[in-house]
Amino acid sequence: MTTVALAATDGMLHFELSLACEVFGTGPADMVDPWYRLSVCGPGPVRVGRFRLEPDHGLDHLPHADTVVVPGWADIDRDPPAELVEAVRAAHEAGARVVSLCTGAFVLAAAGLLDGKRATTHWAHTEELARRHPRVTVDADVLYVDNGSVLTSAGKAAAMDLCLHLVRLDHGSSVANRLARRLVVPPHRDGGQAQFVTTPVPAPANHPLAELFPWILQRLDHPLTVEDLARQARMSSRHLGRHFRSATGTTPLRWLLTQRIRHAQELLETSDDTIDAIATATGMGTATTLRRHFHRTVGVPPDAYRRTFRSRTRPTRTTPEPAPPRPIR
């Protein structure tokens, strides 16, 4: 079982803290059993927004967890508590995967965990993070950044994206998608997607592409082109591209490839279909094409991905662990 420790001190943002509790707390038994074992760690009773919280353990418990989550830090103009910074640094040195949500990145940066790394935080505070910590490469235009053992997210909804990304790494795409469905949130938004998208969730009744998205998803086994999509949407290819970028933050073909790879991941996790059959079912055409795109996008070949998510049990922290598949870009 993977243990998750949630750092809690006075001055944390309650939204990100409760979001992490919802994802890593008690999970549905029909998904994965056992689920994560979550504990809240703090120096004592803490004030989180308007709520008073009683932690399960002290901050000295953080180094004993497999994953440490640092929620948003409310007042970025104030240095985070030294005991929190030291506990987060100790957890990372002990081998924990350390994750910040929203402005929790300021805590990780203060601990030196982001030096020489790419990171993100809420768009309104990226300039301040870069000014205060010049050794950090701050990316203001992504939802989250996965550096392997250190991960950071942008604000609010992007924190959920990162938490679901962690579930996907640990338990596979199918489990993450089912959890997202239970939480009534989008199952997957690429970490590289822009923080600002003109229409992040198209309105079912009035968005120009509202009917096109489900039409595409039902035909992933077809060799669709931009012209096919434009014809179905009854608009020019140029207008299609403009509406697509407005709604998804990316181009039609890149979005389509992401959906094909996601579908391939689910089939690799849940079926015994051959790579050739999955290539056909996802519209990739041949196993060679699927392997090329899958390896470039996810970071491992389809066969290795299947072995990882069909039969793995998460190793203990003392066992060297292979690099996880990269998030879909």
Side-chain angles (χ1 to χ4, degrees):
M1 178 189 295
T2 300
T3 57
V4 176
L6 183 58
T9 63
D10 289 338
M12 293 292 187
L13 296 172
H14 66 273
F15 180 86
E16 288 79 1
L17 190 147
S18 58
L19 181 153
C21 286
E22 185 67 24
V23 172
F24 301 112
T26 303
D30 62 336
M31 289 188 188
V32 175
D33 190 16
W35 191 241
Y36 299 93
R37 186 169 69 245
L38 175 69
S39 61
V40 178
C41 302
V46 296
R47 175 70 64 178
V48 180
R50 296 192 175 192
F51 306 99
R52 188 171 178 81
L53 187 65
E54 294 281 349
D56 304 304
H57 303 283
L59 289 173
D60 58 355
H61 184 75
L62 293 186
H64 300 286
D66 297 300
T67 298
V68 171
V69 179
V70 181
W73 182 244
D75 186 0
I76 65 165
D77 294 325
R78 183 165 58 92
D79 290 336
E83 57 183 335
L84 171 62
V85 173
E86 180 55 37
V88 168
R89 184 186 296 117
H92 183 258
E93 291 175 351
R97 177 174 60 181
V98 181
V99 180
S100 69
L101 307 179
C102 192
T103 48
F106 283 84
V107 178
L108 271 60
L113 304 191
L114 302 181
D115 287 353
K117 294 183 175 65
R118 182 168 154 264
T120 193
T121 188
H122 191 288
W123 61 267
H125 305 298
T126 51
E127 290 186 3
E128 178 60 19
L129 180 63
R131 185 194 67 78
R132 195 178 305 177
H133 301 280
R135 297 183 62 185
V136 181
T137 302
V138 180
D139 192 337
D141 197 34
V142 294
L143 296 180
Y144 58 84
V145 176
D146 181 349
N147 288 301
S149 63
V150 179
L151 303 90
T152 56
S153 86
K156 306 302 180 184
M160 175 63 81
D161 293 316
L162 179 52
C163 288
L164 287 175
H165 171 65
L166 294 174
V167 174
R168 184 171 293 103
L169 290 177
D170 295 339
H171 298 296
S173 182
S174 180
V175 171
N177 289 346
R178 290 166 62 192
L179 176 61
R181 191 176 303 117
R182 184 175 72 87
L183 296 174
V184 198
V185 296
H188 182 78
R189 293 198 299 169
D190 300 341
Q193 180 172 313
Q195 290 192 34
F196 274 131
V197 178
T198 306
T199 313
V201 182
N206 57 23
H207 194 274
L209 303 183
E211 296 180 2
L212 182 63
F213 289 124
W215 183 88
I216 296 173
L217 294 176
Q218 292 170 7
R219 293 165 175 79
L220 290 178
D221 57 332
H222 290 54
L224 299 173
T225 65
V226 172
E227 289 71 24
D228 294 329
L229 305 187
R231 189 179 306 111
Q232 177 64 26
R234 296 183 292 278
M235 62 180 65
S236 69
S237 298
R238 177 176 296 182
H239 284 161
L240 176 76
R242 183 160 56 248
H243 284 302
F244 237 94
R245 186 166 292 280
S246 170
T248 69
T250 189
T251 65
L253 288 183
R254 184 173 293 276
W255 184 88
L256 178 59
L257 177 61
T258 296
Q259 309 316 307
R260 295 193 195 281
I261 297 296
R262 281 181 51 200
H263 188 34
Q265 287 178 299
E266 292 198 27
L267 292 176
L268 288 166
E269 295 166 20
T270 60
S271 79
D272 295 317
D273 293 348
T274 65
I275 302 300
D276 287 286
I278 292 176
T280 299
T282 57
M284 294 288 191
T286 68
T288 300
T289 300
L290 171 60
R291 286 191 172 96
R292 182 175 69 253
H293 286 296
F294 195 95
H295 197 171
R296 184 175 60 193
T297 303
V298 182
V300 296
D303 308 86
Y305 183 91
R306 168 172 273 167
R307 287 194 300 271
T308 299
F309 287 106
R310 290 292 298 277
S311 61
R312 91 174 184 179
T313 55
R314 191 171 180 83
T316 60
R317 293 229 320 269
T318 56
T319 302
E321 183 176 349
R326 295 194 298 267
I328 294 177
R329 295 299 191 208

